[in-house]
Amino acid sequence: MNVHEELLVGGEWRKPTSEARIDVVSPSTEEVIGQVPDAGTEDVDMAVRAARSAFDQGVWRAMSVTERADVLEQALRLLGSRIDEIARLVTSEMGLPTSIAGVQIPGALDTGRYFLHVAQGDPVSELRQTQMCTAAVVKEPVGVVASIAPWNGPFNLAISKIIPALVTGCSVVYKPAPETPLDAFFIAEALSKAGVPAGVFNLITGGRQTGATLVAHPGIDKVSFTGSTAAGRDIGRQCGGNFKRLQLELGGKSAAIVLDDADIATTMTGLAMGCFFNTGQVCAAFSRVLLPASRYDEFTAALVATAESFVVGDPFDPATTMGPLVSARQRNRVQSYLDAGRDEGAVIATGGGTPPGLEKGFYIQPTVFTGVDNSMRIAREEIFGPVASVLRYDSLDEAIAIANDSDYGLHGGVFTADPQRAAEVARRVRTGTFSVNAFVYNSEAPFGGVKNSGIGRDTGPEAVQAYYELKTINLDAPTAALFS
């Protein structure tokens, strides 16, 4: 069992002042596989103070971007030597099949290296000749960052939050989700061994109250949060009142618009990923599938067959292509939406319950709802499970109107053989990210949402820029030479 009794604070592994603990439960066996501290107010305060002291002393931020990148690259190399261990742990704590985890972990490390490359290629100052004088525009680290990650991609989302913040010179207090905290200890250990100075990176574990205490702490300059829209709204209120910088990647209810000329094989490949990848626990999921009336039956039958093709089971079995949901709470939440869909008149074409023989573990069958109206709860609220709602449309304008009739705007897609129509749909759907004839998560381009799906972008060069503040220094002629 993975038992951690300490938190990384100020460069040291310290016993928390709080005696509370969180059990980590395997979603496939329902057995306790680990335990971590449930950090209290005093623990959070010590972590933030350590980060604040490290930032104010300036050892890390005084280093060049290249010097910081060299240290972080060493940390990534250390993590790369333990890919199999990390992958097994992620499978244990969240149920991601090993066949996927074994690819996802090295992919996350590659994303981290991409951020280092971007940062090193981005000048941190430039001179601008204005009518008034020469101005130096300087990028400076935003300060102490509270990074709070979700459970649906624990290791890769940790890397995407931690590396951009550190390479720009910020100090970080990182809190993983209470369901999946174990892999974060690998990252903390690697950063320490690589030579990140004491206090620059701090790891605390805990539940919702720990996160709320961290967000509210006056020593925090910026909050980076990925999670539910409800939690993001609360964080936004807290940060807005204190003018803290804020980055939110929240929920989605993305629509995949299938046009009447779409190729079935291409479409089903995209929908298999878009609707059911990671047991549907993906904020960018194609949870609404919009089908043309002229081919509704054909595409619906193909989508049902696609859902039924998944092998649901033990995530450690190489044959498994869909594991369990992360927790009993999440399983119950998804089941409540299955019940709501039935109550509102939608029809379950496949799935809708526990897979036979998998009564132990938090499993749900891949499910396809038909007869869905966009006013139903299953079409408007984020389910975060392997559930696709199929909606019928008669015209392209109607399809786009349905896609845009949502409180969310994180992702979307179109499937068509006509590039002109694809471009038209991509431009008309109001969303932060969009994919054509595929389901794509592109870490080298900005990812994020509009409307209730968040603020800011978590990937691409923009992810690095998000941790800088801009300072303008208006120079006289002699001083300008020092900035050239």
Side-chain angles (χ1 to χ4, degrees):
M1 196 162 83
N2 288 275
V3 177
H4 297 277
E5 298 181 346
E6 298 173 320
L7 306 170
L8 181 63
V9 176
E12 298 179 357
W13 289 101
R14 300 183 183 181
K15 290 266 191 180
T17 59
S18 168
E19 295 183 359
R21 297 291 183 267
I22 293 174
D23 287 337
V24 182
V25 177
S26 163
S28 59
T29 67
E30 302 188 38
E31 297 173 354
V32 175
I33 59 168
Q35 190 178 77
V36 297
D38 189 0
T41 300
E42 191 173 341
D43 302 311
V44 172
D45 182 62
M46 286 192 295
V48 176
R49 287 179 182 274
R52 181 87 265 160
S53 177
F55 185 78
D56 291 344
Q57 289 174 12
V59 173
W60 181 249
R61 64 187 171 98
M63 296 168 66
S64 69
V65 173
T66 297
E67 288 172 329
R68 292 193 294 263
D70 286 345
V71 174
L72 296 174
E73 172 59 39
Q74 174 61 16
L76 295 175
R77 281 197 293 268
L78 291 170
L79 290 167
S81 69
R82 306 182 74 177
I83 285 174
D84 290 343
E85 289 178 79
I86 298 169
R88 285 195 299 271
L89 189 59
V90 169
T91 296
S92 295
E93 65 183 346
M94 76 152 295
L96 185 72
T98 53
S99 58
I100 300 172
V103 175
Q104 190 178 86
I105 304 307
L109 298 177
D110 287 343
T111 297
R113 293 187 177 94
Y114 166 78
F115 289 136
L116 299 183
H117 173 75
V118 166
Q120 291 178 88
D122 182 27
V124 294
S125 68
E126 64 170 289
L127 291 179
R128 297 183 187 178
Q129 191 60 50
T130 71
Q131 293 185 28
M132 297 293 295
C133 63
T134 300
V137 180
V138 180
K139 295 174 184 172
E140 297 184 341
V142 72
V144 177
V145 179
S147 292
I148 303 175
W151 44 257
N152 63 316
F155 184 83
N156 53 316
L157 287 169
I159 293 295
S160 292
K161 286 187 177 296
I162 293 166
I163 297 299
L166 291 181
V167 76
T168 54
C170 296
S171 293
V172 172
V173 180
Y174 177 69
K175 192 196 88 67
E179 294 87 353
T180 56
L182 300 176
D183 62 281
F185 288 85
F186 280 99
I187 298 173
E189 182 182 334
L191 292 171
S192 295
K193 285 185 176 180
V196 173
V200 170
F201 177 81
N202 305 271
L203 171 65
I204 61 172
T205 54
R208 183 171 298 182
Q209 186 55 51
T210 304
T213 302
L214 178 59
V215 168
H217 198 289
I220 294 296
D221 297 304
K222 174 174 177 170
V223 175
S224 173
F225 172 80
T226 299
S228 73
T229 295
R233 187 174 285 112
D234 290 340
I235 291 170
R237 291 191 192 101
Q238 180 70 244
C239 291
N242 295 291
F243 299 104
K244 292 179 182 178
R245 284 8 183 195
L246 184 62
Q247 195 166 329
L248 298 173
E249 197 269 278
L250 306 176
K253 197 66 187 175
S254 303
I257 302 175
V258 181
L259 301 191
D260 54 11
D261 63 349
D263 173 69
I264 282 191
T266 300
T267 302
M268 291 307 129
T269 298
L271 293 183
M273 283 288 292
C275 300
F276 304 115
F277 176 72
N278 202 23
T279 319
Q281 299 169 126
V282 177
C283 53
F286 290 155
S287 52
R288 293 182 295 156
V289 179
L290 278 53
L291 300 180
S294 61
R295 299 183 67 188
Y296 181 87
D297 292 342
E298 179 186 6
F299 276 115
T300 297
L303 182 59
V304 166
T306 297
E308 293 175 347
S309 71
F310 281 88
V311 179
V312 183
D314 177 2
F316 284 99
D317 185 339
T320 294
T321 56
M322 181 179 290
L325 293 163
V326 74
S327 65
R329 179 173 176 267
Q330 187 62 21
R331 188 264 317 277
N332 295 341
R333 171 185 167 87
V334 173
Q335 187 61 57
S336 74
Y337 277 106
L338 299 181
D339 296 339
R342 292 187 188 98
D343 292 344
E344 289 185 299
V347 176
I348 292 182
T350 189
T354 302
L358 291 173
E359 287 73 24
K360 188 174 185 180
F362 310 129
Y363 293 96
I364 288 282
Q365 293 171 314
T367 300
V368 176
F369 271 110
T370 59
V372 179
D373 180 270
N374 206 45
S375 64
M376 294 179 180
R377 284 183 62 202
I378 57 172
R380 303 208 67 81
E381 300 176 15
E382 186 176 47
I383 298 173
F384 225 60
V387 182
S389 295
V390 177
L391 296 89
R392 183 195 304 260
Y393 71 86
D394 292 310
S395 69
L396 181 57
D397 286 344
E398 182 188 8
I400 292 170
I402 293 171
N404 286 334
D405 179 19
S406 174
D407 295 331
Y408 298 99
L410 185 58
H411 191 211
V414 63
F415 292 87
T416 177
D418 186 336
Q420 277 194 312
R421 296 172 81 197
E424 177 189 354
V425 174
R427 291 189 179 102
R428 291 178 64 187
V429 174
R430 188 164 179 242
T431 183
T433 319
F434 201 84
S435 297
V436 175
N437 287 323
F439 176 84
V440 179
Y441 179 78
N442 185 353
S443 62
E444 296 185 19
F447 176 79
V450 299
K451 299 190 279 187
N452 286 356
S453 289
I455 298 170
R457 297 296 181 264
D458 277 0
T459 52
E462 291 76 9
V464 175
Q465 297 298 324
Y467 292 95
Y468 283 128
E469 289 278 16
L470 297 180
K471 176 189 283 185
T472 296
I473 306 174
N474 296 306
L475 303 165
D476 60 10
T479 312
L482 300 177
F483 285 83
S484 60

